[in-house]
C-alpha cells in the first residue's frame, strides 16, 4: 500500500479477445501533473476510465486514497475525482450554466438546492473557461470547442482533489488550451492536487506536466520525470518516429521537433 492519491496495482483490461492493458502498476501523487502518452488505441482512455472508476478492470486494483475505487460509492468518488472527457456525448439541451452546475451535484444534498458557494464556484469556473457570455445558451447550440470548455468548467466547479483530463484540450484553440492548463497546473502546485491527463500533443504536455507515462503494447514502456523520459529514444521506441528534442530556456521545458521524413542520425 502506498500513500498515493491514485494507485494501480496489476491492472489488466480486455476488450473482446484483446488484452489492452497488461498488469499495469502506476502511482499518482498529490502536487504533480501526469501525462499519459502513447499511440492511438494503446489504452490511454481505458487507463484513465479505470482510474476514475468508470470501468472495472479484469484483474488488479485501482485505489483512490488507499481504498479500491469499486468499493467507494459513486457519489464519494465524484466528490474526489472530476473527469473532463471529449465533448461529443453531450446530447441534452441544458444551458451551459446548468451543465457547469452539474459539477456541484456530488456536493449538494439529494433534496437540497445549490448554496451561494455553489453558485460562486460555478461563476468562477465559467469565468476561467471563458464561457460567461454563453451561460444561457443550450449546450447543444455552441461550438465544439465552447462545449469542451463547458465540460472543463464543470470539472473545475466540481472542485476535487483529483482531476482527470482525457484529451480535454484536443479541440481547443491555443489561447484556451494554455489558459486552462495553466489553471490546472496552478491548482496542482498551490492546492496540492493531482492531475492526470491523456495527451496527443507531446509539446503541450511537456509545457505543463511533471511526469510522463508512455504506454506501448499494453505496458508502461517508460515513465518518470519529463527531463528523463522525453527523449528521441523514447519517442522512437513508443511511436516509431525520429525526432529532435530541444530544451527551451524561456519556458524551461523540453519541446519536440518533428519532420515528415524523420530526422537522421
Ligand atoms: N467501447 C469499446 N468497445 C470495444 N473496444 C473498444 C472500445 N473503446 C475502445 N476500444 C478498443 O480498446 C483499445 C484501447 O482504446 P483506448 O480508447 O483506451 O485507446 P487510446 O490510447 O485512448 O486511443 P486514442 O489515442 O486513439 O484515443 C483500442 O484497441 C480500441 O479499439
Amino acid at each position: 500500500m502506498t500513500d498515493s492519491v491514485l494507485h494501480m496495482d496489476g491492472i489488466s483490461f480486455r476488450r473482446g479477445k484483446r488484452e489492452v492493458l497488461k498488469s499495469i502498476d502506476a502511482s499518482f501523487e498529490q502536487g504533480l501533473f501526469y501525462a499519459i502518452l502513447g499511440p492511438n488505441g494503446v489504452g490511454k482512455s481505458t487507463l484513465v476510465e479505470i482510474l476514475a472508476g468508470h470501468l472495472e478492470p479484469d484483474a488488479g486494483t485501482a485505489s483512490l486514497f488507499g481504498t479500491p475505487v469499486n468499493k467507494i460509492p459513486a457519489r464519494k468518488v465524484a466528490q474526489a475525482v472530476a473527469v473532463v472527457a471529449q465533448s461529443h456525448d453531450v446530447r441534452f439541451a441544458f444551458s451551459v450554466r446548468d451543465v457547469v452546475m452539474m459539477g456541484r451535484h456530488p456536493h449538494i444534498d439529494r433534496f437540497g438546492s445549490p448554496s451561494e458557494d455553489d453558485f460562486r464556484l460555478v461563476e468562477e469556473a465559467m469565468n476561467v473557461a471563458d464561457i460567461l457570455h454563453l451561460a444561457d445558451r443550450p449546450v447543444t447550440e455552441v461550438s465544439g470547442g465552447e462545449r469542451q470548455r463547458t465540460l472543463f468548467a464543470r470539472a473545475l466547479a466540481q472542485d476535487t482533489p483529483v482531476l482527470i483530463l482525457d484529451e480535454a484540450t484536443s479541440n481547443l484553440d491555443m489561447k484556451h488550451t494554455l489558459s486552462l492548463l495553466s489553471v490546472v497546473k496552478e491548482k496542482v502546485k498551490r492546492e496540492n492536487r493531482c492531475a492526470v491527463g491523456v495527451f496527443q500533443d507531446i509539446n503541450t504536455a511537456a509545457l505543463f506536466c511533471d511526469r510522463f507515462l508512455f504506454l506501448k503494447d499494453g505496458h508502461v514502456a517508460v515513465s518518470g520525470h519529463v527531463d528523463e523520459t522525453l527523449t528521441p529514444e523514447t519517442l522512437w521506441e513508443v511511436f516509431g518516429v525520429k525526432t529532435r528534442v530541444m530544451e527551451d530556456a524561456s519556458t524551461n521545458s523540453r519541446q519536440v521537433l518533428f519532420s515528415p521524413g524523420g530526422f537522421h542520425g
Side-chain angles (χ1 to χ4, degrees), residues 8 11-15 18-22 24 36 41-58 62 164 166 198 215:
M8 299 188 109
I11 293 285
S12 298
F13 189 84
R14 201 170 265 290
R15 298 260 197 202
R18 188 172 156 236
E19 194 168 30
V20 177
L21 301 177
K22 302 171 186 168
I24 301 251
I36 313 285
V42 74
K44 302 180 294 297
S45 296
T46 304
L47 186 144
V48 292
E49 283 193 71
I50 291 170
L51 277 181
H54 297 170
L55 283 178
E56 184 84 9
D58 293 313
I164 290 178
D166 189 355
V198 171
L215 294 181

Side-chain angles (χ1 to χ4, degrees), residues 1 46 65 68 89 168 216:
M1 194 58 60
T46 304
F65 292 111
D89 60 346
K216 191 188 173 195

Side-chain angles (χ1 to χ4, degrees), residues 12 40 47 57 63 66 70 112 117 130 132 141 147 151 171 177 187 190 192 194 196 210 214 217 221-222 250:
S12 298
N40 288 144
L47 186 144
S63 310
N70 58 6
D117 251 7
D130 189 23
L132 279 171
E141 293 175 24
R147 192 156 56 242
L151 297 190
N171 61 351
T177 297
K187 281 184 179 292
R190 288 225 185 130
N192 210 24
C194 173
V196 182
D210 306 290
F214 289 93
D217 299 333
V222 176
S250 61

Side-chain angles (χ1 to χ4, degrees), residues 84-88 143-149 151-152 166-174 176-177:
V84 188
Q86 284 179 295
S87 67
H88 25 242
S143 78
E146 290 167 343
R147 192 156 56 242
Q148 189 66 33
R149 277 160 34 215
L151 297 190
F152 220 116
D166 189 355
E167 294 196 33
T169 55
S170 294
N171 61 351
L172 297 191
D173 63 57
M174 229 183 298
H176 289 107
T177 297

Side-chain angles (χ1 to χ4, degrees), residues 77-198:
V77 174
Q79 288 170 359
V81 182
V83 179
V84 188
Q86 284 179 295
S87 67
H88 25 242
D89 60 346
V90 176
R91 268 165 280 167
F92 300 102
F94 295 109
S95 73
V96 163
R97 181 180 275 109
D98 285 348
V99 172
V100 180
M101 181 56 86
M102 286 173 198
R104 298 304 305 153
H105 286 183
H107 304 282
I108 300 171
D109 285 342
R110 195 154 160 231
F111 299 108
S113 352
S115 66
E116 266 181 39
D117 251 7
D118 294 318
F119 284 113
R120 180 182 53 77
L121 284 164
V122 165
E123 293 302 301
E124 274 175 21
M126 287 199 298
N127 186 33
V128 164
D130 189 23
I131 52 170
L132 279 171
H133 59 295
L134 305 169
D136 298 317
R137 297 256 295 274
V139 72
T140 45
E141 293 175 24
V142 297
S143 78
E146 290 167 343
R147 192 156 56 242
Q148 189 66 33
R149 277 160 34 215
T150 305
L151 297 190
F152 220 116
R154 182 181 69 180
L156 293 175
Q158 207 169 324
D159 198 23
T160 49
V162 181
L163 186 58
I164 290 178
L165 309 174
D166 189 355
E167 294 196 33
T169 55
S170 294
N171 61 351
L172 297 191
D173 63 57
M174 229 183 298
K175 185 175 169 193
H176 289 107
T177 297
L178 295 174
S179 66
L180 280 169
L181 291 178
S182 297
V183 168
V184 172
K185 185 167 180 166
E186 195 170 302
K187 281 184 179 292
V188 166
K189 297 298 161 197
R190 288 225 185 130
E191 299 168 17
N192 210 24
R193 306 203 192 195
C194 173
V196 182
V198 171

Side-chain angles (χ1 to χ4, degrees), residues 206-219:
L207 280 178
F208 292 97
C209 296
D210 306 290
R211 301 280 190 275
F212 274 6
L213 193 145
F214 289 93
L215 294 181
K216 191 188 173 195
D217 299 333
H219 298 286

